[in-house]
Amino acid sequence: MDSHTSQSSQASPSPHSFQVDLRGLVDLLSHHLYSSPKVYLRELLQNAVDAITARRAEEPGAPARVRLFAADGRLRVEDSGVGLTEADVHDLLATIGRSSKRAEGLQDVRSDFLGQFGIGLLACFVVAERIRVVSRSARTPDAPPVEWTARDDGSYTVRTLPQEERPEPGTTVHLVARAGAGEWLAEPRVLALARDFGSLLPYDVRVGDEAVTDLPAPWDRAYASPAGRRVALARHCHELFGFTPLDAIGLDVPLAGIRGAAYVLPSAVSPAQRAGHRVHLKGMLLTDRGEQLLPDWAFFVRCVLDTDSLRPTASRESLYEDETLAAVREALGERIRSWLIGLAAGDPERLAAFLAVHHLGVKSLARHDTDMLRTMLPWLPFETTDGRLSLEEFAQRHPVVHFTRTVEEYRQVAPIASAQGVGVINGGYTYDSELVEALPSVRPGTVVAELDADTVTAHLDTVAPADELALAGFLAAARAKLDPLGCDVVLRAFHPLSVPALHLDDRAARHEQARADAEERADDLWAGILGSLRGSAPRARLVLNHLNPLVRRISSLHDPELIGTATESLYGQALLMAQRPLRPADSALLNRSFIGLLEWATHGDTAHGQSSDGQGAKDE
């Protein structure tokens, strides 16, 4: 018993082969691996091109032809490639995933192949119910032609044919459309797909009598002049992408086996928008949605290129993310960077036209690239109190480069700072504050300082102590009115005289105000938590201009209620001038102060009219 147990435990189990449900596999291919049924034609072209490549590896002078004929729901694809023997058919076509590129003697040229014959042919079942392959081997000229016929239920037959059935080496694939897929095998569709996928293939490919390939590629052709090249590439871009580019950038990276062009978009796009680039692998279109090909900052170009070094994914519709792709991405980014530097050095008009549209992309690059920032300093536009200037021009005018971090802060301080002779850059737009802060690294000696409410207030002239003391009652009434809004009132003298009041706050003050607003709306528990977060942050301030005639008249009033209404009006007007978003409390204050001033004005007129009437009656 022990011996029997030992023998049983040592016996090796019999191996079993996987059984493949072909219909289930076709469904997997069509709904999950491939994005569209159209890839069937790419797979057929790849098989034909690979077969020719294999034959030419052994017979350099062998013919290189691919012909496609489509009619009545059927497609025939003929190639002059290496062909198959009966043994090859059983080995390659009947075994899913087996590649003809593994065949003995072809390892040295394997890098020239595009795909896998078995899987590629299987993909045709996405549109076909029957596939028939007739082939004759160029390696074994005496071998008879062989026919392999397969159906989408997983069955196939193999038989040899008389020599006259296929006199020349090569392969012919016959497809019969499955129900509902006839349009994919119609000649116009086949021609359009063949040109889309195969325009850069190195062999003679035709659909009927119509040529598919268009070589040399537009970026490899000789032109009479640089202007002629730009015109030709612009035409190619319009045909391919549907827009006329601002410029075309050659993408020639020999070490990575890349040739192509990058077309500069004629209109601005969001940096978050992922551009779809067209990537050809050894002449065959791999994808027209290659998103990971360029660095993120290069969102202002669309690329078309041919490569022999990048690795495709299993569906061969996108690129495999590996070290090679990372190196190619860096090399292409360097090429675009060199183009920008070249424009700055030799063609300022074209550079200005480009920056008018895509300055955001260049700013994105410059914040991480010191050389690019230094090159672009005289060109990148910024909003400043002196108008739209480059950082270089602004730094030449002002010994201290002041900037704000938000657009709101800029709108608050710009008019007053400008009148005081303080130059300010609006750093509230994307990347701008980062670039301003990086300015000293490329322009040594430049002083950069953030401009906040305290800095602006410090630049305003103080009022004589005697004058401020005389207005103590007015200021007390004004402060009491605005205290519930979290705003202090200060008195200063500044230009321009036409500005009666200035609303100033900083981020800390706004955060404190937001906390206070949240505390007011919260229940007891959250109000207690938010109350514990109360800090000593500075409050917003309303700076009244003592030089303004209106402020002088208001400060001479003696009615506390009228002083409060006038102060609210000045506060609301200052908010509107700063283009600040209004809180509900601010909107209510504006309405209240407006109605209050109307009531005061109409009440005064009525009282004045009654007095006149009364006097008139008495005189009579």
Side-chain angles (χ1 to χ4, degrees), residues 473-485:
F474 161 73
L475 292 174
R479 287 166 180 155
K481 195 67 175 178
L482 296 187
D483 184 69
L485 296 173

Side-chain angles (χ1 to χ4, degrees), residues 236-259:
H236 176 251
C237 175
H238 193 274
E239 294 171 354
L240 203 61
F241 295 121
F243 66 86
T244 301
L246 288 177
D247 205 352
I249 309 168
L251 300 179
D252 185 4
V253 188
L255 291 178
I258 286 178
R259 296 282 295 167

Side-chain angles (χ1 to χ4, degrees), residues 75-391:
L75 176 64
R76 184 171 87 253
V77 181
E78 300 178 354
D79 70 65
S80 59
V82 70
L84 302 172
T85 63
E86 183 177 1
D88 292 334
V89 166
H90 284 289
D91 190 36
L92 299 174
L93 300 188
T95 305
I96 294 173
R98 181 70 59 86
S99 174
S100 60
K101 272 63 78 179
R102 297 189 182 95
E104 184 179 355
L106 295 181
Q107 294 300 319
D108 55 338
V109 293
R110 187 174 173 187
S111 64
D112 293 329
F113 294 111
L114 300 172
Q116 287 189 326
F117 195 81
I119 283 288
L121 200 58
L122 186 63
C124 293
F125 280 122
V126 173
V127 297
E129 66 176 11
R130 188 171 80 244
I131 302 173
R132 176 171 169 255
V133 177
V134 177
S135 186
R136 181 170 181 176
S137 175
R139 292 185 191 144
T140 314
D142 296 336
V146 61
E147 177 191 72
W148 177 84
T149 304
R151 295 182 176 275
D152 60 1
D153 61 1
S155 63
Y156 72 93
T157 60
V158 179
R159 66 188 181 109
T160 58
L161 302 175
Q163 296 282 7
E164 59 269 17
E165 288 282 338
R166 179 87 197 190
E168 299 294 330
T171 300
T172 302
V173 179
H174 303 262
L175 301 186
V176 177
R178 65 192 311 163
E183 63 171 310
W184 291 104
L185 271 63
E187 184 175 20
R189 176 66 67 89
V190 170
L191 178 59
L193 291 178
R195 283 177 171 166
D196 191 40
F197 285 121
S199 62
L200 299 183
L201 289 175
Y203 305 134
D204 178 16
V205 182
R206 296 177 183 271
V207 176
D209 295 327
E210 296 289 334
V212 168
T213 53
D214 185 21
L215 295 176
W219 48 84
D220 285 331
R221 295 172 189 168
Y223 297 97
S225 65
R229 175 183 174 84
R230 282 199 297 270
V231 170
L233 290 179
R235 187 184 305 113
H236 176 251
C237 175
H238 193 274
E239 294 171 354
L240 203 61
F241 295 121
F243 66 86
T244 301
L246 288 177
D247 205 352
I249 309 168
L251 300 179
D252 185 4
V253 188
L255 291 178
I258 286 178
R259 296 282 295 167
Y263 296 117
V264 182
L265 294 167
S267 56
V269 294
S270 167
Q273 179 177 329
R274 305 293 291 181
H277 308 294
R278 289 178 65 89
V279 182
H280 295 256
L281 181 61
K282 306 179 186 71
M284 182 70 72
L285 178 67
L286 183 71
T287 179
D288 57 4
R289 297 188 302 274
E291 296 181 349
Q292 70 272 50
L293 190 64
L294 293 181
D296 290 340
W297 56 261
F299 56 82
F300 49 84
V301 298
R302 293 281 298 276
C303 289
V304 53
L305 57 82
D306 188 23
T307 176
D308 58 16
S309 63
L310 298 179
R311 177 182 170 192
T313 58
S315 66
R316 295 196 292 282
E317 293 186 279
S318 59
L319 297 170
Y320 189 83
E321 186 69 50
D322 57 12
E323 293 181 358
T324 302
L325 179 57
V328 166
R329 184 185 300 119
E330 183 178 349
L332 294 179
E334 182 60 36
R335 183 67 193 86
I336 296 173
R337 181 187 291 109
S338 298
W339 168 78
L340 279 172
I341 294 174
L343 283 188
D347 200 340
E349 291 185 1
R350 285 171 63 205
L351 177 64
F354 165 76
L355 290 178
V357 179
H358 295 298
H359 59 274
L360 195 61
V362 179
K363 286 180 177 180
S364 173
L365 170 59
R367 65 197 176 114
H368 298 304
D369 190 320
T370 302
D371 291 337
M372 180 58 67
L373 178 58
R374 184 181 293 106
T375 302
M376 292 294 131
L377 268 182
W379 307 102
L380 288 175
F382 288 78
E383 181 180 353
T384 79
T385 49
D386 293 350
R388 200 160 181 82
L389 298 176
S390 70
L391 289 181

